[in-house]
Amino acid sequence: MIDKVHMHLYLLPMNPQSSITTCNCFAIRQAARFVSQLYERHYARAGITAAQFSLLVYIAEVGKAGMAEMAEAMVMDRTTLVRALKPLQRDGYVVSEPEGKGSRKLLLALSVIGQQKLSEAVECWHTAQAEYVELVGAECADELRQMLLTIPASKAA
C-alpha cells in the first residue's frame, strides 16, 4: 500500500524529461554495476573482488596506509573499510603493524603473498581494462574516468 507521504512519487508524469533515464544517480549506479560485473568476472580468476583489488593497489602505492587516510582516499566509511579488509588480512595479503613504538595507530601493508596476489590480479586488471576499452572506446574511457574522478575531488573545494 502506498502511504500519503510517498503518493506524490507515483503521481509524477513520466515523460522524457522526468523519467528514470534523466536521473544522474540511476545512470551512474547502472553503469557502475555493469562495469563492476565486467571487472569482477576477470578478478575472479585471481580469487579477489574489484573492491579488494582497489585496496591492494592503494596499499601498494602508498607503502603503509593508516585506516583514516585510506577510508578518505577510498571514499568509504571506516566500518565498510574494516569489513572489506578482513578477508585480505585473513588470507595474509595485508598485515597491520603499529605506526611506532607504543602507538595505537595501525598501519596496513602488503605482505609478500599480498604482493604476489596483486601481481596476479594486475594481469586480470589488464584484461578487464582491454575489454572495457573495446566496449566504450579509448577516448571515451579516458574522458569518462577523468570526469568521474573530479566528483569526489570536488568535495574538498
Side-chain angles (χ1 to χ4, degrees):
M1 178 145 183
I2 302 168
D3 62 20
K4 289 180 182 179
V5 175
H6 296 99
M7 178 62 83
H8 70 282
L9 294 174
Y10 295 94
L11 298 177
L12 288 175
M14 293 306 280
N15 60 50
Q17 286 73 41
S18 65
S19 75
I20 192 75
T21 60
T22 63
C23 176
N24 297 316
C25 185
F26 172 79
I28 290 169
R29 290 177 61 87
Q30 184 183 48
R33 285 189 294 272
F34 178 84
V35 173
S36 291
Q37 290 169 3
L38 182 154
Y39 279 78
E40 293 284 356
R41 187 168 23 90
H42 291 282
Y43 292 135
R45 291 193 338 251
I48 64 169
T49 67
Q52 291 170 335
F53 178 78
S54 296
L55 295 173
L56 291 173
V57 168
Y58 179 81
I59 295 168
E61 287 181 355
V62 299
K64 292 183 178 180
M67 292 290 276
E69 298 83 11
M70 191 170 182
E72 184 176 340
M74 304 302 286
V75 191
M76 299 172 86
D77 63 67
R78 189 177 167 91
T79 304
T80 303
L81 178 59
V82 168
R83 223 175 334 181
L85 285 166
K86 279 189 192 280
L88 296 174
Q89 291 175 307
R90 178 200 64 221
D91 295 342
Y93 304 144
V94 173
V95 294
S96 59
E97 57 189 50
E99 183 177 38
K101 190 173 182 171
S103 175
R104 292 178 51 186
K105 181 179 179 182
L106 294 177
L107 296 178
L108 302 167
L110 293 186
S111 65
V112 172
I113 63 169
Q115 292 168 5
Q116 292 168 345
K117 180 55 71 175
L118 179 56
S119 293
E120 178 185 353
V122 164
E123 292 178 29
C124 300
W125 175 79
H126 283 292
T127 307
Q129 286 279 98
E131 183 178 336
Y132 175 74
V133 167
E134 187 176 317
L135 279 171
V136 301
E139 188 175 323
C140 182
D142 288 341
E143 288 176 10
L144 182 58
R145 184 179 55 259
Q146 293 308 315
M147 286 189 300
L148 290 172
L149 288 170
T150 65
I151 295 170
S154 68
K155 76 174 184 168

